[in-house]
């Protein structure tokens, strides 16, 4: 038979229980709907015989779509216990027919495990994954410490230019958004404090609330969260892109240490910039609290400064500054580790950037809680 868009219905030649089907025309994607009908026709006509010979001598053009349909028809006929043979196929057609082999897709078997056991399994996998992630983090921290010890003994190998550039990117360019966020948060805390304490005639204690809360907790915590979302994600994306483009492998082939060249300048820039940004955040939050206290609670700037001086001490300010480098170290290490864990796809890069931000924010909050317990235990 001739199976193409021009000749329909097909002619079938039979001999001794067998059928010979001659295909003709263009079996390409442009005639996909018509080819679907013709492929089904092959199955319907061929199933009436014991053996089918498919002649491809008159097929002018064949692509993967046509080859796949022919292979599917062959498979369906074979499933109906009909022998199938191809004749007069060109060499290029043989290649397509071999590469576009048809196979059935079996649906995965449904799990019959109870939902409760599946939930326990998911929890177990999450616990094991978290433990492995913690192990990777400790191992990466060890590698970083070793690399920094080598840099300390061989300072000429350190990239000071890269350190300055990343301090500008992480510190200087982050300052405007950090100032804005902390001014707003300081004002919100002051407004809520005045509103609640005014019921007891103790609105002046709002200054103590703002000073202690901002200097000990809010300033450094908000700064760390902003840096994790802004700079931590950027570090992960940069290292992940370099990993995808095999630039990381190229550095290793050249005999260069990835930690010394790429990670150390970024992490050190974070560690050095974070205390400065925390100080800026503290001042911005106090300024926002002072403005709201002046306009909403009638506390003048001079009275605000006097009450603030009585409420806080030097160690109140130092608590937040001490936390800052440790939080920066955690953010930098997590960002670098997730960046190096990127695989060769854009999906993997997006997943690692998301994971980096989430884990950094989580660890920053955990670290802040541990510091709070520590400072309370030493009465600092």
């Amino acid at each position: 038979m001739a199976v193409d868009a021009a000749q329909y219905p097909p002619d079938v030649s039979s001999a001794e229980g067998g059928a010979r089907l001659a295909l003709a025309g263009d079996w390409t994607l442009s005639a996909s709907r018509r080819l679907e009908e013709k492929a089904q026709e092959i199955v319907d006509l061929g199933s009436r015989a014991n053996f089918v010979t498919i002649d491809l001598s008159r097929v002018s053009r064949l692509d993967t779509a046509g080859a796949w349909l022919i292979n599917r028809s062959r498979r369906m006929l074979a499933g109906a216990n009909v022998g199938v043979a191809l004749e007069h196929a060109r060499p290029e057609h043989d290649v397509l027919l071999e590469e576009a082999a048809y196979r059935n897709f079996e649906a995965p078997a449904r799990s019959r495990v109870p939902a409760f056991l599946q939930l326990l399994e998911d929890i177990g996998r999450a616990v094991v994954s978290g433990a492995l992630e913690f192990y990777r983090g400790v191992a990466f921290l060890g590698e970083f410490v070793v690399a920094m010890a080598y840099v300390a003994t061989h300072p000429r190998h350190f990239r000071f230019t890269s350190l300055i550039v990343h301090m500008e990117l992480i510190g200087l360019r982050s300052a405007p958004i950090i100032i804005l966020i902390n001014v707003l948060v300081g004002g919100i805390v002051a407004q809520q404090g005045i509103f609640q304490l005014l019921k007891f005639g103790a609105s002046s204690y709002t200054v103590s609330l703002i000073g202690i809360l901002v200097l000990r907790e809010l300033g450094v915590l908000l700064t760390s969260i902003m840096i994790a979302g802004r700079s931590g994600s950027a570090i992960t994306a940069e290292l992940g892109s370099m990993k995808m483009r095999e630039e990381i492998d190229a550095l290793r082939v050249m005999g260069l240490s990835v930690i010394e060249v790429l990670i150390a300048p970024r992490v050190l820039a974070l560690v050095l910039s974070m205390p400065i940004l925390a100080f800026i955040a503290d001042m911005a939050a106090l300024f926002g609290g002072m403005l709201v206290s002046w306009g909403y609670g009638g506390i003048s700037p001079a009275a605000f400064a006097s009450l603030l001086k009585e409420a806080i001490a030097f160690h109140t300010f130092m608590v937040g500054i001490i936390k800052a480098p440790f939080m920066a170290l955690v953010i930098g290490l997590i960002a670098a580790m997730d960046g190096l864990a990127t695989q060769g796809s854009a999906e993997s890069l997006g997943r690692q950037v998301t994971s980096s931000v989430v884990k950094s924010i989580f660890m920053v909050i955990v670290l802040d809680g541990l510091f709070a317990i520590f400072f309370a235990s030493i009465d600092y």
Side-chain angles (χ1 to χ4, degrees):
M1 72 172 181
V3 182
D4 60 3
Q7 185 173 347
Y8 184 87
D11 297 326
V12 182
S13 59
S14 303
E16 298 180 359
R20 183 179 186 82
L21 309 178
L23 310 188
D26 294 343
W27 283 67
T28 58
L29 185 63
S30 59
S32 57
R33 180 177 298 180
R34 189 67 169 165
L35 292 183
E36 284 279 357
E37 299 174 358
K38 297 301 181 180
Q40 185 61 42
E41 222 173 308
I42 294 174
V43 177
D44 294 339
L45 295 174
S47 60
R48 304 170 189 171
N50 297 325
F51 187 85
V52 175
T53 301
I54 300 177
D55 186 0
L56 303 179
S57 60
R58 295 165 57 192
V59 174
S60 56
R61 294 174 60 195
L62 181 69
D63 62 5
T64 53
W68 186 84
L69 287 172
I70 293 173
N71 281 325
R72 187 184 68 175
S73 301
R74 293 169 59 192
R75 179 65 63 88
M76 295 175 70
L77 288 172
N81 295 321
V82 177
V84 183
L86 295 179
E87 281 189 355
H88 305 120
R90 301 176 190 173
E92 61 270 22
H93 293 172
D94 284 332
V95 173
L96 280 175
L97 290 168
E98 182 179 352
E99 294 296 329
Y102 177 84
R103 65 183 181 88
N104 293 321
F105 294 91
E106 298 181 359
R110 292 185 177 182
S111 175
R112 297 184 179 180
V113 180
F116 178 71
L117 293 181
Q118 287 185 348
L119 177 61
L120 292 179
E121 180 187 2
D122 292 341
I123 294 174
R125 289 181 182 275
V127 172
V128 172
S129 176
L132 292 176
E133 197 72 21
F134 180 76
Y135 172 79
R136 285 180 54 226
V138 173
F140 191 77
L141 175 62
E143 293 181 17
F144 179 77
V145 170
V146 171
M148 293 310 301
Y150 178 80
V151 167
T153 56
H154 301 79
R156 303 177 85 183
H157 291 184
F158 187 68
R159 297 163 58 89
F160 287 99
T161 303
S162 179
L163 173 65
I164 299 301
V165 169
H166 286 102
M167 284 187 68
E168 178 188 356
L169 294 175
I170 294 170
L172 183 61
R173 299 193 181 183
S174 299
I177 186 63
I178 287 176
I179 291 172
L180 177 61
I181 291 294
N182 281 276
V183 166
L184 295 175
V185 169
I188 293 170
V189 171
Q191 189 271 336
Q192 288 296 311
I194 292 171
F195 181 76
Q196 299 297 330
L197 293 174
L198 194 60
K199 300 175 183 178
F200 307 98
S203 59
S204 61
Y205 285 101
T206 303
V207 179
S208 301
L209 173 66
I210 297 171
I212 296 173
L213 185 60
V214 165
L215 295 180
R216 291 183 69 98
E217 301 294 339
L218 277 186
V220 66
L221 189 59
L222 288 175
T223 302
S224 299
I225 292 174
M226 289 297 300
I227 290 298
R230 184 185 183 277
S231 302
S233 61
I235 292 173
T236 303
E238 290 171 3
L239 296 177
S241 299
M242 295 179 72
K243 181 76 178 295
M244 291 172 59
R245 293 195 298 263
E246 299 183 352
E247 296 176 17
I248 301 290
D249 297 332
L251 286 174
R252 288 174 176 150
V253 169
M254 294 166 61
L256 299 175
S257 171
V258 175
I259 294 180
E260 293 177 16
V261 175
L262 298 177
I263 297 174
R266 289 170 168 82
V267 175
L268 284 181
L270 275 172
V271 172
L272 295 176
S273 300
M274 188 69 82
I276 302 173
L277 293 175
F279 172 77
I280 294 173
D282 291 343
M283 298 302 105
L286 292 176
F287 179 73
M290 182 192 69
L291 289 180
V292 173
S293 299
W294 187 14
Y296 191 78
I299 302 174
S300 66
F304 185 92
S306 177
L307 292 171
L308 182 64
K309 182 179 179 181
E310 295 176 1
I312 65 172
F314 181 71
H315 70 271
T316 310
F317 167 75
M318 286 304 299
V319 165
I321 301 301
I322 291 171
K323 293 178 185 178
F326 294 94
M327 292 183 175
L329 180 63
V330 168
I331 293 170
L333 292 179
I334 290 175
M337 185 174 63
D338 282 343
L340 294 179
T342 302
Q343 304 299 319
S345 66
E347 180 185 2
S348 174
L349 178 60
R351 186 167 54 248
Q352 292 301 326
V353 171
T354 303
S355 172
S356 168
V357 174
V358 171
K359 287 191 291 188
S360 296
I361 293 175
F362 173 77
M363 288 305 300
V364 160
I365 295 174
V366 170
L367 192 62
D368 184 72
L370 294 176
F371 268 112
I373 295 172
F374 171 72
F375 287 128
S377 64
I378 64 174
D379 195 21
Y380 186 72

